[in-house]
Amino acid sequence: MKEIVIDPITRLEGHGKIVIKLDENGEVQKALLQIPELRGFEKFLVGRTAEDAPQITPRICGVCPWAHHMASTKALDDLFKVDPPEPAKKIREFIYNVFMLEDHAIHFYVLAGPDFIVGPKAPKEERNIVGIIKKLGVDLVKNIIVTRKKLRNLEQLLGGKITHPVMGLPGGVAKPLSEDDWKICYETSKEALEFAKFTLETFKNVVLSNDEYVDLIKSDAYTHKTYYMGLVDEKNQVNFYDGKIRVVDPDGNEYVKFDAKNYLDHMAEHVEPWTYVRFTYLKGVGWKGFVDGKDSGIFSVAPLARLNAADGMATPMAQEAYKEFYETLGGKPVHHTLAFHWARVIEMVYAAERMMELIEDPDIKDPNVRKLPEATPDVGIGVVEAPRGTLIHHYETDGKGIIKKANLIVATQNNSARMVLSIEKAAKSLIHGGKVDDGILNMIEMAFRAYDPCHACATHSLPGSMPLIVRIYDKDDNLIKEIRRD
Amino acid sequence: MSKPKVALYWCASCGGCEEATVDLTERLFDLIEAVDIVFWPIAMDFKREDLEKMEDGSIDIAIINGGIRLEEHEEMVKLLRRKSKIVIAYGSCAHLGGIPGLANAYPREEILKFAYEEAPTVINPDKVRPMKKVTIDGMEFELPEFLEYLKPLDEVIDVDYYIPGCPPTPDLTWEAISKLLSGEIPPKGHVFGSDKSLCHECPLNETKPDEIRLEELKRPHQVILDRSKCYLAQGVLCMGPVTRGGCEALCIKGGMPCTGCFGPLDGVYNQGAKALSFLASVIDIEDEEKYREMLEKLGFDPIGWFFRYSLAKGMIYRKKRDGE
């Protein structure tokens, strides 16, 4: 038996890897994505004063600290039973959309962009930010860097720190939006909207005008019929900051819609001995192993899932893009993993439009941004849509707000089972007779890159290509071939 | 002259330190121009064997973030130490253990048991656990094993300099790297940042009374702070007086007190103990019983408040675990 180990350099202790086992004929017998992430956050939250959780939990991930900060802050609203004043909610939602836009943009341009903008079959030396510069011009790349900096500047203005913000408190935020800060937020929002519109245009011109890409998106190697989950507002439209959790089945029909506080009734986790990640699944459907379909509780989260789980987008340009998305890909729901990229761009437009709506709302400058909690704390559950999917924080405390128990359902976990499916299906479709080459590597890589998994969030950084090593071993563990993709 | 060789590596970290590096923005390109990055797993495909092939001492500066939680981290940082002239512990986790060091208050078994058996969403009647080696359908799979506890970098290898912060600011990062590259070498063990406490650069310092006397403490969610006055003087714990400056007082400007991520001042080993004794000196309650009552009523978390970034640096909990 041969073993192929794909060892992507990841942020998770540098250990995330794909192991593919071949049988005697060189056909794929099993392919697994192994994640060694465990630092014990749930355990060491016990004993902490609950109001510190929004500053402790962002250290789970320095790439998406705002998602943890916001889910945690909302869990505290629930824990201390205090409803923040409207201006505070608007400030929170505004800055959260800033973060979503910034995070999505980096993934799209730096990480995923090369596959689509430069091309999945382009020479590997060009499948990176340098290739993007060649294709779209250096001005665009400068614009991406400048836009990222401006958006992150807003995060610092409102949140104190960009990475590991401090603004969230039960019942509100630490400081109101001053007139000076508002002006900066307003100007940046205008620029952000232009940037998001430009990104959507670029996607259409470069990707959608190319039939080859569209065929690739629709190909079976990248397709799984699963359930989809996402937060929706009262009109069943996508919302990142608040709403109810809605799940649709593989046919696109609503399976369930629930308040985050009832998540234990609907979500469960499965443990496997070969990875540290816990696999979330729909409790009502049950764990049936790594298979897709209506009888399997495996579901998906993040951009594609959010669009599938909703009836539309709450802002006009995003809604238009939403309609085009489903018209082009053959109706709802879309099961093609590579469509995550397009969905992400649509969400960028939504985030920018929503920023504009909120910053133009006169309420947002109101200094009334705190309500002091009065009730005795006991249980608090908070939810947001992280860039990588539905994120839930759940704390239980004593009467003084000292945490006694904590449970975290982290976004990437919700996609973990589907990612295992994607890796195995791509491997089985692409590897035959034991033959592996660089092209196959990139195609397997694309199967999980689409999810923007947090254990690959290393690639949010420049220069952004995901380095891979594939090692093929014979059954006695002798290295017989090594392929590198630098 | 050849460019200085720089290696970057991360251990048990969140990625925030990498983000801080990327937040150098334009200066990141200057850095890439000025140095030869020979190892950066996040961005480049150099592997351990490439590092092993380099001559000992051939890397000029190794910048390492994250605490040491896996066996592999230990091996990698020892290797980097051998290959490098200068080793920098970058960020709170490498410096002091950081927030993941709070896990040292719990035995490893309790962490695993909660994660895979007791968490309310987990359904695991067979008590399956991730295993170092496991055989599935005759096929073997391996996982790296976690160490008993988390250690800061200098408990595993000799460290030359420290860049503190969770994460360090881009300006401080730039200042430290520029200094070292220009040959302005500080004494060994130097911690970059200010040599004074945060209060000295705090925009609210002018409003800090010469002597603070508090009759009670308040937790941040229990009070709406006047953002123009010293938070500590308003009765909320601020780690500023016992924490190294150099962070630009970002949390203070964000409307919240300091939590101590830049670590202790020079000459102080245990930041938490220092903070505890400082707090004792500002609480204006003589009677021990009344003092206790005040804390009881308040709800008190000495580990999270005073040792939030430095628990792994102290020996208290580790000794307990080892049964020494």
Side-chain angles (χ1 to χ4, degrees), chain A residues 1 3 7 9-11 13-15 17 19 21 29-30 32 34 36 38-44 46-52 55-56 59-63 80 145 148-149 152 156 160-164 166 169-170 174-176 263-264 267-278 281 283 370 372-373 394 400-402 405-407 409 458 460-463 467-469 471 482 484-486, chain B residues 9-16 18-20 22-23 25-26 28-29 40-47 49-50 69-70 72-73 99-100 102-103 106 110-112 114-116 118-124 128-131 134 136-146 166-167 219-225 227 248 250-251 253-256 259 261 296-301 303-305 308-309:
Chain A
M1 189 203 301
E3 179 185 73
D7 200 350
I9 310 301
T10 76
R11 177 156 288 153
E13 342 280 18
H15 270 268
K17 64 176 177 181
V19 180
K21 301 280 189 179
Q29 201 173 1
K30 202 166 192 74
L32 291 178
Q34 295 183 280
L38 181 72
R39 279 165 296 165
F41 271 84
E42 288 162 326
K43 193 70 208 181
F44 68 69
V46 173
R48 307 288 76 81
T49 32
E51 69 277 12
D52 293 330
Q55 290 193 37
I56 290 173
R59 270 73 178 192
I60 291 168
C61 176
V63 176
F80 289 97
I145 292 165
R148 175 182 191 268
K149 194 177 180 179
R152 285 172 80 81
Q156 181 157 321
K161 283 160 70 190
I162 304 166
T163 301
H164 308 324
V166 301
L169 283 157
K175 67 172 189 181
Y263 83 105
L264 286 172
M267 297 167 81
E269 292 174 290
H270 170 78
V271 180
E272 285 284 338
W274 45 266
T275 183
Y276 284 102
V277 82
R278 290 158 15 195
Y281 62 95
K283 205 173 183 176
R370 279 285 297 285
L372 289 181
H394 169 186
K400 287 175 229 156
I402 309 276
K405 191 190 228 177
N407 195 36
I409 304 291
H460 277 252
S461 305
L462 294 166
L468 285 179
I469 296 179
R471 294 206 185 104
E482 180 176 280
R484 304 177 70 92
R485 221 174 71 71
D486 300 315
Chain B
Y9 188 68
W10 77 94
C11 298
S13 68
C14 70
E18 276 81 19
E19 287 282 334
V22 177
D23 282 336
T25 322
E26 304 87 351
L28 180 64
F29 293 103
W40 195 6
I42 199 175
M44 302 170 114
D45 192 14
F46 293 115
K47 288 290 281 185
E49 61 263 27
D50 299 306
R69 183 88 226 197
L70 292 174
E72 194 211 48
H73 298 148
I99 281 183
L102 290 171
Y106 298 91
E110 268 185 38
I111 293 170
L112 291 168
F114 183 83
Y116 300 110
E118 296 169 347
T121 18
V122 166
I123 299 180
N124 185 9
V128 172
R129 288 270 185 98
M131 284 151 67
V134 62
I136 304 164
D137 306 333
M139 292 170 275
E140 244 185 34
F141 294 89
E142 281 183 42
L143 276 176
E145 198 161 32
F146 284 87
C166 186
R219 285 162 53 184
H221 69 291
Q222 295 169 330
V223 54
I224 294 176
L225 289 170
R227 285 181 303 109
E248 303 166 32
L250 293 174
C251 296
K253 291 173 192 164
M256 292 292 278
T259 59
C261 76
E296 283 285 311
K297 197 173 146 232
L298 180 71
F300 187 55
D301 171 22
I303 291 177
W305 293 2
R308 188 175 298 180
Y309 304 91

Side-chain angles (χ1 to χ4, degrees), chain A residues 420-434:
Chain A
V420 171
L421 292 180
S422 294
I423 297 301
E424 186 147 87
K425 194 162 184 180
K428 283 185 171 163
S429 308
L430 297 163
I431 298 175
H432 296 290

Side-chain angles (χ1 to χ4, degrees), chain A residues 325-375:
Chain A
F325 176 82
Y326 286 106
E327 278 162 17
T328 309
L329 294 176
K332 285 180 74 179
V334 166
H335 295 295
H336 311 304
T337 305
L338 294 181
F340 264 103
H341 299 295
W342 190 355
R344 195 168 285 118
V345 174
I346 296 169
E347 287 194 338
M348 282 171 67
V349 175
Y350 165 72
E353 285 185 294
R354 188 74 185 129
M355 275 168 67
M356 208 62 219
E357 279 179 5
L358 287 159
I359 204 66
E360 283 183 323
D361 186 330
D363 251 14
I364 203 164
K365 285 190 267 185
D366 189 318
N368 176 29
V369 293
R370 279 285 297 285
K371 198 162 153 190
L372 289 181
E374 282 163 7

Side-chain angles (χ1 to χ4, degrees), chain B:
Chain B
M1 209 181 87
S2 64
K3 291 179 184 177
K5 290 186 169 58
V6 173
L8 296 106
Y9 188 68
W10 77 94
C11 298
S13 68
C14 70
C17 283
E18 276 81 19
E19 287 282 334
T21 315
V22 177
D23 282 336
L24 286 169
T25 322
E26 304 87 351
R27 290 174 295 188
L28 180 64
F29 293 103
D30 296 340
L31 179 68
I32 292 168
E33 273 297 296
V35 305
D36 190 6
I37 297 178
V38 294
F39 189 70
W40 195 6
I42 199 175
M44 302 170 114
D45 192 14
F46 293 115
K47 288 290 281 185
R48 184 172 166 160
E49 61 263 27
D50 299 306
L51 195 58
E52 276 163 358
K53 279 181 211 148
M54 293 177 200
E55 268 179 48
D56 285 3
S58 65
I59 296 170
D60 291 280
I61 305 173
I63 302 168
I64 301 173
N65 75 66
I68 309 296
R69 183 88 226 197
L70 292 174
E71 236 173 313
E72 194 211 48
H73 298 148
E74 270 194 343
E75 293 161 12
M76 282 300 293
V77 300
K78 282 177 183 166
L79 183 61
L80 277 163
R81 175 68 275 184
R82 214 163 64 233
K83 302 292 173 188
S84 311
K85 291 189 187 82
I86 294 173
V87 169
I88 299 176
Y90 185 84
S92 301
C93 295
H95 180 203
L96 304 164
I99 281 183
L102 290 171
N104 286 6
Y106 298 91
R108 184 173 162 278
E109 168 56 23
E110 268 185 38
I111 293 170
L112 291 168
K113 198 174 166 74
F114 183 83
Y116 300 110
E117 292 173 30
E118 296 169 347
T121 18
V122 166
I123 299 180
N124 185 9
D126 299 330
K127 297 189 188 337
V128 172
R129 288 270 185 98
M131 284 151 67
K132 194 175 176 180
K133 247 189 190 148
V134 62
T135 307
I136 304 164
D137 306 333
M139 292 170 275
E140 244 185 34
F141 294 89
E142 281 183 42
L143 276 176
E145 198 161 32
F146 284 87
L147 299 172
E148 272 301 314
Y149 41 77
L150 183 137
K151 289 183 259 188
L153 188 60
D154 63 7
E155 291 201 14
V156 180
I157 59 167
D158 190 37
V159 170
D160 296 289
Y161 306 114
Y162 302 83
I163 302 180
C166 186
T169 64
D171 281 352
L172 183 64
T173 304
W174 187 245
E175 183 203 311
I177 294 174
S178 318
K179 269 193 182 163
L180 292 172
L181 288 176
S182 71
E184 211 182 304
I185 306 290
K188 189 171 160 130
H190 179 70
V191 184
F192 286 94
S194 170
D195 54 5
K196 296 195 181 80
S197 75
L198 172 63
C199 296
H200 289 85
E201 68 191 68
C202 178
L204 309 179
N205 197 29
E206 280 176 24
T207 65
K208 185 182 168 193
D210 292 333
E211 198 189 3
I212 296 177
R213 305 301 291 166
L214 301 174
E215 280 170 25
E216 60 167 348
L217 267 182
K218 295 185 196 98
R219 285 162 53 184
H221 69 291
Q222 295 169 330
V223 54
I224 294 176
L225 289 170
D226 177 345
R227 285 181 303 109
S228 67
K229 288 201 182 96
C230 172
Y231 301 156
L232 187 60
Q234 296 178 63
V236 167
L237 175 69
C238 179
M239 290 283 280
V242 295
T243 299
R244 181 183 302 275
C247 61
E248 303 166 32
L250 293 174
C251 296
I252 308 286
K253 291 173 192 164
M256 292 292 278
C258 169
T259 59
C261 76
F262 263 54
L265 286 152
D266 289 333
V268 177
Y269 178 75
N270 191 323
Q271 182 188 18
K274 182 79 184 170
L276 264 168
S277 77
F278 173 79
L279 188 71
S281 75
V282 299
I283 301 283
D284 199 12
I285 302 175
E286 292 299 324
D287 184 82
E288 204 182 308
E289 202 47 47
K290 279 188 180 153
Y291 199 119
R292 188 163 313 176
E293 258 171 46
M294 187 273 287
L295 291 178
E296 283 285 311
K297 197 173 146 232
L298 180 71
F300 187 55
D301 171 22
I303 291 177
W305 293 2
F306 305 118
F307 295 86
R308 188 175 298 180
Y309 304 91
S310 65
L311 190 70
K313 193 81 186 157
M315 305 297 283
I316 313 167
Y317 287 93
R318 206 176 303 165
K319 279 189 179 164
K320 198 163 121 187
R321 182 103 40 82
D322 292 346
E324 282 171 21

Side-chain angles (χ1 to χ4, degrees), chain A residues 399-447:
Chain A
K400 287 175 229 156
I402 309 276
I403 296 175
K404 295 295 169 200
K405 191 190 228 177
N407 195 36
L408 310 171
I409 304 291
V410 179
T412 294
Q413 257 182 281
N414 295 322
N415 267 336
S416 290
R418 198 176 193 271
M419 263 190 276
V420 171
L421 292 180
S422 294
I423 297 301
E424 186 147 87
K425 194 162 184 180
K428 283 185 171 163
S429 308
L430 297 163
I431 298 175
H432 296 290
K435 289 191 184 121
V436 184
D437 61 25
D438 177 68
I440 287 171
L441 268 185
N442 194 48
M443 303 292 271
I444 293 173
E445 193 180 355
M446 283 167 71

